[in-house]
Amino acid sequence: MPRSPSKTRPITIKDVAQLAGVHASTVSRALNPATRSMVAQDLAASILRAAQKLGYQPDHLAASLRTGRSLLVGVLLPDIANPVFAPILSGITERLIEDGYSTIVADAGPGAPSATTLLDGLIAHRVDGLVLATATRDDALVGRCLERNVPVVLVNRAEAQARVSAAVSDDMRGMQLAVDHLVGLGHRRIGHIAGPPTLSTGLLRLRGFEAAIRDQDTPLESFSQSATAYSREAGAEAAGRLLAAAPQITAIVAANDLLALGAYDALRERGLRCPEDISVVGHNDMPLMDLVAPALTSVRIEHRAMGREAAELLVQRMRRADASTRMVMLTPRLVVRGSTAAPRPEQR
Amino acid sequence: MPRSPSKTRPITIKDVAQLAGVHASTVSRALNPATRSMVAQDLAASILRAAQKLGYQPDHLAASLRTGRSLLVGVLLPDIANPVFAPILSGITERLIEDGYSTIVADAGPGAPSATTLLDGLIAHRVDGLVLATATRDDALVGRCLERNVPVVLVNRAEAQARVSAAVSDDMRGMQLAVDHLVGLGHRRIGHIAGPPTLSTGLLRLRGFEAAIRDQDTPLESFSQSATAYSREAGAEAAGRLLAAAPQITAIVAANDLLALGAYDALRERGLRCPEDISVVGHNDMPLMDLVAPALTSVRIEHRAMGREAAELLVQRMRRADASTRMVMLTPRLVVRGSTAAPRPEQR
DNA sequence: GAGCACGCGGCAATCGGTTGCGAGACCGAA
DNA sequence: TTCGGTCTCGCAACCGATTGCCGCGTGCTC
């Protein structure tokens, strides 16, 4: 079937070549700033004019086939619905677009195909690199990328063996800030709601909590329970276990804001008030944490900056295959709000 | 430079063909379920085995060049950081992946290139379709897609001329729910914080508010002020104007939860209590709105479902170029929480 | 037994840019 | 005038998969 002449066929480089009276290869060189010097200046200018006139739009796809570079970067998220990933994603795309990359987002959230399937899908699109936010501590996905030879960095979570670069928050330091704050207020019996131990943040924050407890001058009692997931429900459930096992605690440090909000639910359910009966500290300082009741004291992580850093690491790795693998650690800071207070005198 | 033999070159269809002892085209047919019947069953099976053995992964990119279908869909968001877009995006990707599409996300948030630039970038990647969440009421972007002949649907916001399909919430109905609720509680003087009038939600919700006011049996006083953006700050500012212009109001209906939260800020600043002095109703029912203080009464929109619907419309449009353009309206429902109450007797 | 239809699979063109290589033009120097 | 060098551009292969077309062989029918 002959192409209907009325339907506007997309303009190709050949159309431009014809109008400019040159060969397609010359057009290609003139259009690419990097190779433009290979073409006489005035000719290049007239080619640009021809392209402009026709409204030529380059086709990355075709170029990719030849160059091997797709200008696409895959981002694998554990769950878009989790509010912390929005700013991370934002930071990633913001940085990548500076180098001309677009981002393909794959969400491994509930109801989605397996992360491995999603990863293969991204690779099938020939992404030039990958940002993984899903990495559990030892992650088969990383290995898969490595053997396929596609550049990869981690964000928010690191892996046990540091095979690839990662941008993370200093979780040890974050927990130290939280514990210091509580101890400064007079708390001596502190509980921790840990994240899933399979996730690097879960483990590191637990370790950070324990280290922070040990580092205090005053002897403390500490307790911890792991949540099965980073969700409000899991937080409430773990908080229930924690309060049952150690009813004497006067403060709870949660590994995550959602867990902290779950702790709110558990406290309310048991008729306990925050901060009068129990202080609560979160982690991440998600948006709106200043508006919940009570406003949540939380360890603030600059997620947007973290996304940018991850993208930066990836760009370096994509530019040079032998770029050193690094771990960028962002320093968190504590934002004190209404959910923490000194324990009541009789609680001491 | 000869390719180093140690570096594992990606497996192509030719490698599979060689191992299976057939031509590449036969491999292509055997691998594609749609064309598999053109190959003898046992041969197809042995080709599949060969592909399996080599760990062959198809290359969408190359296929796209020939077929003209990239299996990529572009999603243009006004601002990833806005929490309502996370579930929308989630719904979109979830639906699209069922048909094998991946999504390229472009964020037109602050600091990003212009939406037009982003759109051109997406088109350069030869996306098979586009979901626009950025559409202002009359949108040049839509025209651009139309003239480039790329399928496009809108989500969350519709355009004045219904040139393309859209999935939106029934904003008129949402405002009616909000006003009915307040009137039922006894409110007679109601203020509205409208969204930017350039956005379809801003305008439609304002109209919906006005219509809902008119439709009441009892005569009401109403007032409204437009916010300059959908943000907490703009909400606080507009609420300030509203309270200055009409101090007698006993309730505020905001076009958006963030605006409602801004209203909280403005009330607090003026020493007014919610709901005792002024009731507040939001719109969207974002996550965590049950945890802010006071818990926000809000018009709930199923954003995830909306995303799915938009994707569904796009899939239909991509399958058949002549698919009818439709507008899918999701029915919102009111979630009553602590931010609304009957006005005090002396306020009547 | 000859002819025909059909199932199957190979050949080669194709998608739209990119790039190694070489040809031709032009200039300056010997 | 000739030769070498440089600058500019065209030619054609190439990236990897898809697909229209054709030929071969088998089996069926008359």
mmCIF file of all heavy atoms in Angstrom, chain A residues 149-181:
data_model
loop_
_atom_site.group_PDB
_atom_site.id
_atom_site.type_symbol
_atom_site.label_atom_id
_atom_site.label_comp_id
_atom_site.label_asym_id
_atom_site.label_seq_id
_atom_site.Cartn_x
_atom_site.Cartn_y
_atom_site.Cartn_z
ATOM 1 N N ASN A 149 27.051 -6.507 31.863
ATOM 2 C CA ASN A 149 27.946 -5.403 31.577
ATOM 3 C C ASN A 149 27.224 -4.060 31.446
ATOM 4 O O ASN A 149 27.631 -3.204 30.678
ATOM 5 C CB ASN A 149 28.728 -5.703 30.300
ATOM 6 C CG ASN A 149 30.077 -5.053 30.327
ATOM 7 O OD1 ASN A 149 30.731 -5.017 31.364
ATOM 8 N ND2 ASN A 149 30.475 -4.508 29.197
ATOM 9 N N VAL A 150 26.135 -3.882 32.172
ATOM 10 C CA VAL A 150 25.491 -2.575 32.131
ATOM 11 C C VAL A 150 25.761 -1.825 33.429
ATOM 12 O O VAL A 150 25.606 -2.378 34.514
ATOM 13 C CB VAL A 150 23.970 -2.680 31.804
ATOM 14 C CG1 VAL A 150 23.455 -4.080 31.953
ATOM 15 C CG2 VAL A 150 23.158 -1.716 32.610
ATOM 16 N N PRO A 151 26.231 -0.580 33.280
ATOM 17 C CA PRO A 151 26.576 0.248 34.441
ATOM 18 C C PRO A 151 25.412 0.343 35.408
ATOM 19 O O PRO A 151 24.271 0.521 34.989
ATOM 20 C CB PRO A 151 26.864 1.618 33.819
ATOM 21 C CG PRO A 151 27.263 1.323 32.425
ATOM 22 C CD PRO A 151 26.449 0.131 32.021
ATOM 23 N N VAL A 152 25.708 0.247 36.678
ATOM 24 C CA VAL A 152 24.629 0.268 37.656
ATOM 25 C C VAL A 152 25.111 0.942 38.935
ATOM 26 O O VAL A 152 26.271 0.816 39.318
ATOM 27 C CB VAL A 152 24.119 -1.168 37.938
ATOM 28 C CG1 VAL A 152 25.251 -2.085 38.326
ATOM 29 C CG2 VAL A 152 23.055 -1.176 39.005
ATOM 30 N N VAL A 153 24.230 1.701 39.539
ATOM 31 C CA VAL A 153 24.510 2.272 40.863
ATOM 32 C C VAL A 153 23.288 2.021 41.745
ATOM 33 O O VAL A 153 22.194 1.762 41.263
ATOM 34 C CB VAL A 153 24.793 3.789 40.805
ATOM 35 C CG1 VAL A 153 25.967 4.102 39.912
ATOM 36 C CG2 VAL A 153 23.553 4.551 40.373
ATOM 37 N N LEU A 154 23.531 2.097 43.036
ATOM 38 C CA LEU A 154 22.448 1.900 43.988
ATOM 39 C C LEU A 154 22.103 3.232 44.632
ATOM 40 O O LEU A 154 22.950 4.116 44.753
ATOM 41 C CB LEU A 154 22.866 0.918 45.072
ATOM 42 C CG LEU A 154 23.343 -0.441 44.575
ATOM 43 C CD1 LEU A 154 23.737 -1.330 45.745
ATOM 44 C CD2 LEU A 154 22.260 -1.104 43.755
ATOM 45 N N VAL A 155 20.871 3.353 45.043
ATOM 46 C CA VAL A 155 20.489 4.558 45.749
ATOM 47 C C VAL A 155 19.666 4.171 46.967
ATOM 48 O O VAL A 155 18.879 3.223 46.920
ATOM 49 C CB VAL A 155 19.700 5.529 44.833
ATOM 50 C CG1 VAL A 155 18.347 4.982 44.450
ATOM 51 C CG2 VAL A 155 19.545 6.894 45.477
ATOM 52 N N ASN A 156 19.899 4.856 48.046
ATOM 53 C CA ASN A 156 19.165 4.665 49.295
ATOM 54 C C ASN A 156 19.560 3.393 50.051
ATOM 55 O O ASN A 156 19.523 3.370 51.259
ATOM 56 C CB ASN A 156 17.653 4.670 49.050
ATOM 57 C CG ASN A 156 16.880 4.913 50.322
ATOM 58 O OD1 ASN A 156 17.319 5.692 51.156
ATOM 59 N ND2 ASN A 156 15.770 4.251 50.489
ATOM 60 N N ARG A 157 19.887 2.362 49.305
ATOM 61 C CA ARG A 157 20.274 1.131 49.963
ATOM 62 C C ARG A 157 21.584 0.655 49.355
ATOM 63 O O ARG A 157 21.754 0.693 48.151
ATOM 64 C CB ARG A 157 19.216 0.054 49.746
ATOM 65 C CG ARG A 157 17.878 0.428 50.311
ATOM 66 C CD ARG A 157 16.828 -0.581 49.940
ATOM 67 N NE ARG A 157 15.519 -0.130 50.414
ATOM 68 C CZ ARG A 157 14.386 -0.760 50.162
ATOM 69 N NH1 ARG A 157 14.393 -1.855 49.467
ATOM 70 N NH2 ARG A 157 13.245 -0.303 50.624
ATOM 71 N N ALA A 158 22.485 0.203 50.166
ATOM 72 C CA ALA A 158 23.734 -0.323 49.655
ATOM 73 C C ALA A 158 23.687 -1.839 49.731
ATOM 74 O O ALA A 158 22.754 -2.416 50.272
ATOM 75 C CB ALA A 158 24.901 0.221 50.467
ATOM 76 N N GLU A 159 24.672 -2.471 49.146
ATOM 77 C CA GLU A 159 24.706 -3.926 49.271
ATOM 78 C C GLU A 159 25.892 -4.320 50.135
ATOM 79 O O GLU A 159 26.829 -3.550 50.347
ATOM 80 C CB GLU A 159 24.784 -4.593 47.901
ATOM 81 C CG GLU A 159 26.004 -4.218 47.101
ATOM 82 C CD GLU A 159 26.266 -5.179 45.955
ATOM 83 O OE1 GLU A 159 25.455 -6.069 45.722
ATOM 84 O OE2 GLU A 159 27.315 -5.042 45.314
ATOM 85 N N ALA A 160 25.864 -5.544 50.614
ATOM 86 C CA ALA A 160 26.884 -6.007 51.549
ATOM 87 C C ALA A 160 28.282 -5.920 50.925
ATOM 88 O O ALA A 160 29.185 -5.286 51.461
ATOM 89 C CB ALA A 160 26.572 -7.428 51.988
ATOM 90 N N GLN A 161 28.453 -6.538 49.765
ATOM 91 C CA GLN A 161 29.730 -6.418 49.076
ATOM 92 C C GLN A 161 29.610 -5.182 48.205
ATOM 93 O O GLN A 161 28.676 -5.070 47.429
ATOM 94 C CB GLN A 161 29.993 -7.622 48.179
ATOM 95 C CG GLN A 161 29.020 -8.772 48.350
ATOM 96 C CD GLN A 161 28.912 -9.632 47.103
ATOM 97 O OE1 GLN A 161 27.845 -9.893 46.582
ATOM 98 N NE2 GLN A 161 30.067 -10.060 46.605
ATOM 99 N N ALA A 162 30.568 -4.297 48.319
ATOM 100 C CA ALA A 162 30.432 -3.033 47.590
ATOM 101 C C ALA A 162 30.947 -3.192 46.173
ATOM 102 O O ALA A 162 31.992 -2.671 45.808
ATOM 103 C CB ALA A 162 31.169 -1.922 48.322
ATOM 104 N N ARG A 163 30.168 -3.902 45.342
ATOM 105 C CA ARG A 163 30.623 -4.125 43.973
ATOM 106 C C ARG A 163 30.377 -2.914 43.090
ATOM 107 O O ARG A 163 31.031 -2.725 42.076
ATOM 108 C CB ARG A 163 29.891 -5.332 43.381
ATOM 109 C CG ARG A 163 30.289 -6.631 44.030
ATOM 110 C CD ARG A 163 29.469 -7.773 43.466
ATOM 111 N NE ARG A 163 28.076 -7.689 43.878
ATOM 112 C CZ ARG A 163 27.140 -8.586 43.533
ATOM 113 N NH1 ARG A 163 27.459 -9.589 42.754
ATOM 114 N NH2 ARG A 163 25.902 -8.467 43.957
ATOM 115 N N VAL A 164 29.389 -2.121 43.458
ATOM 116 C CA VAL A 164 29.047 -0.963 42.639
ATOM 117 C C VAL A 164 28.891 0.276 43.505
ATOM 118 O O VAL A 164 28.753 0.175 44.722
ATOM 119 C CB VAL A 164 27.733 -1.210 41.862
ATOM 120 C CG1 VAL A 164 27.888 -2.381 40.917
ATOM 121 C CG2 VAL A 164 26.595 -1.455 42.822
ATOM 122 N N SER A 165 28.896 1.428 42.855
ATOM 123 C CA SER A 165 28.768 2.677 43.584
ATOM 124 C C SER A 165 27.378 2.824 44.165
ATOM 125 O O SER A 165 26.421 2.236 43.673
ATOM 126 C CB SER A 165 29.061 3.860 42.665
ATOM 127 O OG SER A 165 30.419 3.862 42.279
ATOM 128 N N ALA A 166 27.280 3.618 45.203
ATOM 129 C CA ALA A 166 25.979 3.806 45.829
ATOM 130 C C ALA A 166 25.899 5.177 46.486
ATOM 131 O O ALA A 166 26.910 5.731 46.903
ATOM 132 C CB ALA A 166 25.731 2.722 46.872
ATOM 133 N N ALA A 167 24.719 5.721 46.527
ATOM 134 C CA ALA A 167 24.466 6.966 47.250
ATOM 135 C C ALA A 167 23.487 6.650 48.368
ATOM 136 O O ALA A 167 22.372 6.209 48.104
ATOM 137 C CB ALA A 167 23.888 8.027 46.324
ATOM 138 N N VAL A 168 23.930 6.854 49.567
ATOM 139 C CA VAL A 168 23.100 6.481 50.720
ATOM 140 C C VAL A 168 23.179 7.552 51.795
ATOM 141 O O VAL A 168 24.017 8.453 51.739
ATOM 142 C CB VAL A 168 23.567 5.146 51.331
ATOM 143 C CG1 VAL A 168 23.441 4.017 50.330
ATOM 144 C CG2 VAL A 168 24.999 5.276 51.828
ATOM 145 N N SER A 169 22.315 7.428 52.746
ATOM 146 C CA SER A 169 22.397 8.293 53.913
ATOM 147 C C SER A 169 23.261 7.601 54.953
ATOM 148 O O SER A 169 23.360 6.379 54.991
ATOM 149 C CB SER A 169 20.995 8.533 54.469
ATOM 150 O OG SER A 169 21.075 9.239 55.690
ATOM 151 N N ASP A 170 23.894 8.388 55.791
ATOM 152 C CA ASP A 170 24.729 7.819 56.844
ATOM 153 C C ASP A 170 23.816 7.342 57.970
ATOM 154 O O ASP A 170 23.517 8.073 58.909
ATOM 155 C CB ASP A 170 25.719 8.868 57.345
ATOM 156 C CG ASP A 170 26.740 8.256 58.291
ATOM 157 O OD1 ASP A 170 26.467 7.171 58.840
ATOM 158 O OD2 ASP A 170 27.796 8.865 58.480
ATOM 159 N N ASP A 171 23.405 6.101 57.862
ATOM 160 C CA ASP A 171 22.400 5.584 58.789
ATOM 161 C C ASP A 171 22.928 5.464 60.213
ATOM 162 O O ASP A 171 22.195 5.698 61.176
ATOM 163 C CB ASP A 171 21.903 4.216 58.301
ATOM 164 C CG ASP A 171 20.990 4.345 57.098
ATOM 165 O OD1 ASP A 171 20.278 5.362 57.020
ATOM 166 O OD2 ASP A 171 20.982 3.442 56.253
ATOM 167 N N MET A 172 24.195 5.102 60.329
ATOM 168 C CA MET A 172 24.781 5.008 61.664
ATOM 169 C C MET A 172 24.675 6.362 62.362
ATOM 170 O O MET A 172 24.243 6.469 63.504
ATOM 171 C CB MET A 172 26.261 4.617 61.555
ATOM 172 C CG MET A 172 26.521 3.306 60.858
ATOM 173 S SD MET A 172 26.052 1.869 61.841
ATOM 174 C CE MET A 172 27.436 1.780 62.985
ATOM 175 N N ARG A 173 25.068 7.370 61.631
ATOM 176 C CA ARG A 173 25.058 8.719 62.188
ATOM 177 C C ARG A 173 23.618 9.163 62.497
ATOM 178 O O ARG A 173 23.366 9.814 63.513
ATOM 179 C CB ARG A 173 25.698 9.661 61.175
ATOM 180 C CG ARG A 173 25.647 11.122 61.519
ATOM 181 C CD ARG A 173 27.044 11.755 61.522
ATOM 182 N NE ARG A 173 26.963 13.099 62.122
ATOM 183 C CZ ARG A 173 26.884 13.298 63.421
ATOM 184 N NH1 ARG A 173 26.867 12.262 64.252
ATOM 185 N NH2 ARG A 173 26.801 14.533 63.906
ATOM 186 N N GLY A 174 22.702 8.808 61.640
ATOM 187 C CA GLY A 174 21.303 9.175 61.859
ATOM 188 C C GLY A 174 20.782 8.613 63.166
ATOM 189 O O GLY A 174 20.122 9.309 63.949
ATOM 190 N N MET A 175 21.080 7.362 63.406
ATOM 191 C CA MET A 175 20.603 6.750 64.634
ATOM 192 C C MET A 175 21.282 7.368 65.842
ATOM 193 O O MET A 175 20.685 7.518 66.908
ATOM 194 C CB MET A 175 20.867 5.245 64.598
ATOM 195 C CG MET A 175 20.042 4.522 63.556
ATOM 196 S SD MET A 175 18.310 5.037 63.531
ATOM 197 C CE MET A 175 17.629 3.892 64.698
ATOM 198 N N GLN A 176 22.526 7.733 65.633
ATOM 199 C CA GLN A 176 23.247 8.383 66.736
ATOM 200 C C GLN A 176 22.564 9.702 67.103
ATOM 201 O O GLN A 176 22.377 10.011 68.291
ATOM 202 C CB GLN A 176 24.692 8.625 66.286
ATOM 203 C CG GLN A 176 25.614 9.001 67.425
ATOM 204 C CD GLN A 176 26.987 9.390 66.903
ATOM 205 O OE1 GLN A 176 27.379 9.002 65.792
ATOM 206 N NE2 GLN A 176 27.721 10.155 67.685
ATOM 207 N N LEU A 177 22.181 10.460 66.091
ATOM 208 C CA LEU A 177 21.487 11.726 66.338
ATOM 209 C C LEU A 177 20.211 11.488 67.136
ATOM 210 O O LEU A 177 19.906 12.199 68.106
ATOM 211 C CB LEU A 177 21.127 12.391 65.010
ATOM 212 C CG LEU A 177 22.273 12.960 64.179
ATOM 213 C CD1 LEU A 177 21.768 13.399 62.809
ATOM 214 C CD2 LEU A 177 22.893 14.150 64.918
ATOM 215 N N ALA A 178 19.477 10.462 66.738
ATOM 216 C CA ALA A 178 18.202 10.180 67.396
ATOM 217 C C ALA A 178 18.419 9.789 68.855
ATOM 218 O O ALA A 178 17.758 10.312 69.762
ATOM 219 C CB ALA A 178 17.475 9.059 66.638
ATOM 220 N N VAL A 179 19.354 8.878 69.071
ATOM 221 C CA VAL A 179 19.588 8.401 70.437
ATOM 222 C C VAL A 179 20.163 9.516 71.313
ATOM 223 O O VAL A 179 19.738 9.709 72.462
ATOM 224 C CB VAL A 179 20.520 7.169 70.420
ATOM 225 C CG1 VAL A 179 20.935 6.796 71.843
ATOM 226 C CG2 VAL A 179 19.816 5.998 69.744
ATOM 227 N N ASP A 180 21.109 10.265 70.770
ATOM 228 C CA ASP A 180 21.672 11.389 71.531
ATOM 229 C C ASP A 180 20.570 12.328 71.995
ATOM 230 O O ASP A 180 20.550 12.781 73.142
ATOM 231 C CB ASP A 180 22.661 12.180 70.662
ATOM 232 C CG ASP A 180 23.993 11.450 70.506
ATOM 233 O OD1 ASP A 180 24.127 10.348 71.081
ATOM 234 O OD2 ASP A 180 24.871 11.973 69.793
ATOM 235 N N HIS A 181 19.691 12.610 71.083
ATOM 236 C CA HIS A 181 18.587 13.526 71.390
ATOM 237 C C HIS A 181 17.747 12.996 72.548
ATOM 238 O O HIS A 181 17.444 13.710 73.506
ATOM 239 C CB HIS A 181 17.728 13.708 70.130
ATOM 240 C CG HIS A 181 16.421 14.396 70.360
ATOM 241 N ND1 HIS A 181 16.334 15.698 70.826
ATOM 242 C CD2 HIS A 181 15.146 13.968 70.183
ATOM 243 C CE1 HIS A 181 15.049 16.035 70.922
ATOM 244 N NE2 HIS A 181 14.304 14.996 70.547
#
